[in-house]
Short mmCIF file of all heavy atoms in Angstrom, two decimals:
data_model
loop_
_atom_site.label_atom_id
_atom_site.label_comp_id
_atom_site.label_asym_id
_atom_site.label_seq_id
_atom_site.Cartn_x
_atom_site.Cartn_y
_atom_site.Cartn_z
N SER A 1 22.66 -149.24 -12.30
CA SER A 1 23.03 -149.92 -13.55
C SER A 1 22.40 -149.22 -14.75
O SER A 1 21.40 -148.50 -14.62
CB SER A 1 22.57 -151.38 -13.52
OG SER A 1 23.11 -152.06 -12.41
N LYS A 2 22.96 -149.47 -15.92
CA LYS A 2 22.42 -148.98 -17.16
C LYS A 2 20.98 -149.46 -17.32
O LYS A 2 20.68 -150.63 -17.08
CB LYS A 2 23.27 -149.48 -18.33
CG LYS A 2 22.79 -149.07 -19.70
CD LYS A 2 23.71 -149.64 -20.77
CE LYS A 2 23.20 -149.29 -22.17
NZ LYS A 2 24.08 -149.85 -23.23
N GLY A 3 20.07 -148.56 -17.70
CA GLY A 3 18.66 -148.91 -17.86
C GLY A 3 17.80 -148.56 -16.66
O GLY A 3 16.57 -148.50 -16.77
N ASP A 4 18.44 -148.30 -15.49
CA ASP A 4 17.67 -147.90 -14.30
C ASP A 4 17.12 -146.48 -14.48
O ASP A 4 17.64 -145.69 -15.28
CB ASP A 4 18.56 -147.91 -13.05
CG ASP A 4 18.95 -149.32 -12.62
OD1 ASP A 4 18.38 -150.28 -13.18
OD2 ASP A 4 19.84 -149.45 -11.76
N THR A 5 16.08 -146.15 -13.74
CA THR A 5 15.59 -144.77 -13.64
C THR A 5 15.77 -144.31 -12.20
O THR A 5 15.31 -144.98 -11.26
CB THR A 5 14.12 -144.65 -14.04
OG1 THR A 5 13.97 -145.01 -15.42
CG2 THR A 5 13.62 -143.23 -13.86
N ILE A 6 16.49 -143.20 -12.02
CA ILE A 6 16.68 -142.65 -10.68
C ILE A 6 16.02 -141.27 -10.62
O ILE A 6 15.78 -140.63 -11.64
CB ILE A 6 18.18 -142.55 -10.32
CG1 ILE A 6 18.91 -141.63 -11.31
CG2 ILE A 6 18.83 -143.93 -10.30
CD1 ILE A 6 20.38 -141.36 -10.93
N TYR A 7 15.73 -140.81 -9.41
CA TYR A 7 15.10 -139.50 -9.20
C TYR A 7 16.03 -138.66 -8.34
O TYR A 7 16.51 -139.12 -7.31
CB TYR A 7 13.73 -139.67 -8.53
CG TYR A 7 12.74 -140.42 -9.39
CD1 TYR A 7 12.74 -141.82 -9.43
CD2 TYR A 7 11.83 -139.75 -10.20
CE1 TYR A 7 11.86 -142.52 -10.25
CE2 TYR A 7 10.95 -140.44 -11.02
CZ TYR A 7 10.97 -141.83 -11.03
OH TYR A 7 10.10 -142.51 -11.86
N VAL A 8 16.29 -137.42 -8.79
CA VAL A 8 17.26 -136.58 -8.10
C VAL A 8 16.72 -135.18 -7.85
O VAL A 8 15.91 -134.66 -8.61
CB VAL A 8 18.58 -136.47 -8.91
CG1 VAL A 8 19.28 -137.82 -9.02
CG2 VAL A 8 18.33 -135.90 -10.30
N THR A 9 17.18 -134.59 -6.76
CA THR A 9 16.92 -133.18 -6.46
C THR A 9 18.20 -132.63 -5.84
O THR A 9 19.24 -133.29 -5.86
CB THR A 9 15.69 -133.02 -5.55
OG1 THR A 9 15.39 -131.62 -5.43
CG2 THR A 9 15.94 -133.61 -4.18
N THR A 10 18.13 -131.44 -5.28
CA THR A 10 19.32 -130.84 -4.69
C THR A 10 18.92 -129.86 -3.61
O THR A 10 17.72 -129.70 -3.31
CB THR A 10 20.18 -130.15 -5.78
OG1 THR A 10 21.41 -129.73 -5.22
CG2 THR A 10 19.45 -128.96 -6.39
N GLU A 11 19.90 -129.19 -3.00
CA GLU A 11 19.64 -128.19 -1.97
C GLU A 11 19.78 -126.79 -2.55
O GLU A 11 20.59 -126.59 -3.48
CB GLU A 11 20.62 -128.36 -0.80
CG GLU A 11 20.64 -129.75 -0.18
CD GLU A 11 19.30 -130.12 0.43
OE1 GLU A 11 18.58 -129.19 0.89
OE2 GLU A 11 18.96 -131.31 0.44
N PRO A 12 19.04 -125.79 -2.04
CA PRO A 12 19.10 -124.44 -2.61
C PRO A 12 20.51 -123.88 -2.68
O PRO A 12 20.87 -123.22 -3.66
CB PRO A 12 18.22 -123.62 -1.66
CG PRO A 12 17.28 -124.61 -1.05
CD PRO A 12 18.04 -125.89 -0.95
N GLY A 13 21.32 -124.13 -1.66
CA GLY A 13 22.68 -123.59 -1.64
C GLY A 13 23.62 -124.21 -2.66
O GLY A 13 24.71 -123.68 -2.91
N ASP A 14 23.21 -125.31 -3.26
CA ASP A 14 24.05 -126.00 -4.23
C ASP A 14 23.66 -125.67 -5.68
O ASP A 14 24.23 -126.24 -6.61
CB ASP A 14 23.97 -127.52 -4.03
CG ASP A 14 24.61 -127.97 -2.74
OD1 ASP A 14 25.57 -127.30 -2.31
OD2 ASP A 14 24.16 -128.97 -2.16
N VAL A 15 22.69 -124.77 -5.85
CA VAL A 15 22.21 -124.43 -7.20
C VAL A 15 22.79 -123.08 -7.62
O VAL A 15 22.66 -122.09 -6.92
CB VAL A 15 20.67 -124.38 -7.24
CG1 VAL A 15 20.19 -124.04 -8.65
CG2 VAL A 15 20.07 -125.70 -6.79
N HIS A 16 23.44 -123.07 -8.77
CA HIS A 16 23.94 -121.83 -9.37
C HIS A 16 22.85 -121.32 -10.32
O HIS A 16 22.33 -122.08 -11.14
CB HIS A 16 25.22 -122.08 -10.15
CG HIS A 16 26.31 -122.72 -9.33
ND1 HIS A 16 27.33 -122.01 -8.74
CD2 HIS A 16 26.53 -124.02 -9.00
CE1 HIS A 16 28.13 -122.83 -8.10
NE2 HIS A 16 27.66 -124.07 -8.24
N VAL A 17 22.51 -120.03 -10.22
CA VAL A 17 21.42 -119.48 -11.01
C VAL A 17 21.95 -118.39 -11.94
O VAL A 17 22.68 -117.49 -11.51
CB VAL A 17 20.31 -118.90 -10.11
CG1 VAL A 17 19.13 -118.45 -10.95
CG2 VAL A 17 19.86 -119.92 -9.07
N PHE A 18 21.61 -118.49 -13.22
CA PHE A 18 22.08 -117.55 -14.24
C PHE A 18 20.88 -117.01 -15.02
O PHE A 18 19.89 -117.71 -15.22
CB PHE A 18 23.04 -118.23 -15.21
CG PHE A 18 24.21 -118.88 -14.53
CD1 PHE A 18 24.14 -120.21 -14.14
CD2 PHE A 18 25.38 -118.17 -14.28
CE1 PHE A 18 25.22 -120.84 -13.51
CE2 PHE A 18 26.47 -118.78 -13.65
CZ PHE A 18 26.37 -120.11 -13.27
N ASP A 19 21.00 -115.75 -15.46
CA ASP A 19 20.01 -115.18 -16.35
C ASP A 19 20.22 -115.79 -17.74
O ASP A 19 21.32 -115.70 -18.30
CB ASP A 19 20.15 -113.67 -16.41
CG ASP A 19 19.13 -113.03 -17.34
OD1 ASP A 19 17.96 -112.89 -16.94
OD2 ASP A 19 19.52 -112.69 -18.47
N THR A 20 19.20 -116.39 -18.29
CA THR A 20 19.35 -117.11 -19.57
C THR A 20 19.72 -116.14 -20.69
O THR A 20 20.56 -116.47 -21.56
CB THR A 20 18.06 -117.85 -19.93
OG1 THR A 20 17.78 -118.81 -18.89
CG2 THR A 20 18.20 -118.61 -21.24
N ALA A 21 19.14 -114.95 -20.72
CA ALA A 21 19.37 -114.02 -21.82
C ALA A 21 20.81 -113.49 -21.81
O ALA A 21 21.50 -113.49 -22.84
CB ALA A 21 18.38 -112.86 -21.74
N SER A 22 21.27 -113.00 -20.65
CA SER A 22 22.61 -112.40 -20.58
C SER A 22 23.70 -113.42 -20.27
O SER A 22 24.87 -113.18 -20.55
CB SER A 22 22.63 -111.30 -19.50
OG SER A 22 22.46 -111.89 -18.21
N GLY A 23 23.32 -114.53 -19.66
CA GLY A 23 24.29 -115.53 -19.24
C GLY A 23 24.98 -115.21 -17.92
O GLY A 23 25.81 -115.99 -17.43
N LEU A 24 24.63 -114.09 -17.30
CA LEU A 24 25.31 -113.66 -16.08
C LEU A 24 24.71 -114.32 -14.84
O LEU A 24 23.52 -114.63 -14.80
CB LEU A 24 25.24 -112.14 -15.93
CG LEU A 24 25.93 -111.33 -17.02
CD1 LEU A 24 25.72 -109.84 -16.81
CD2 LEU A 24 27.42 -111.67 -17.08
N ARG A 25 25.54 -114.47 -13.83
CA ARG A 25 25.12 -115.08 -12.57
C ARG A 25 24.14 -114.18 -11.84
O ARG A 25 24.30 -112.96 -11.81
CB ARG A 25 26.34 -115.34 -11.69
CG ARG A 25 26.05 -116.05 -10.37
CD ARG A 25 27.32 -116.17 -9.52
NE ARG A 25 27.06 -116.95 -8.33
CZ ARG A 25 27.16 -118.27 -8.27
NH1 ARG A 25 27.55 -118.93 -9.34
NH2 ARG A 25 26.89 -118.92 -7.15
#
């Protein structure tokens, strides 16, 4: 519900990683 606080994480294979400066994967 609105107002709740939830805690989330993920799995390594589900994370897309990009270089912040160039924007490339």
Side-chain angles (χ1 to χ4, degrees):
S1 303
K2 178 180 177 181
D4 290 350
T5 297
I6 60 174
Y7 296 83
V8 295
T9 187
T10 187
E11 304 298 330
D14 292 329
V15 180
H16 304 263
V17 185
F18 305 91
D19 180 77
T20 300
S22 67
L24 297 177
R25 183 184 186 88

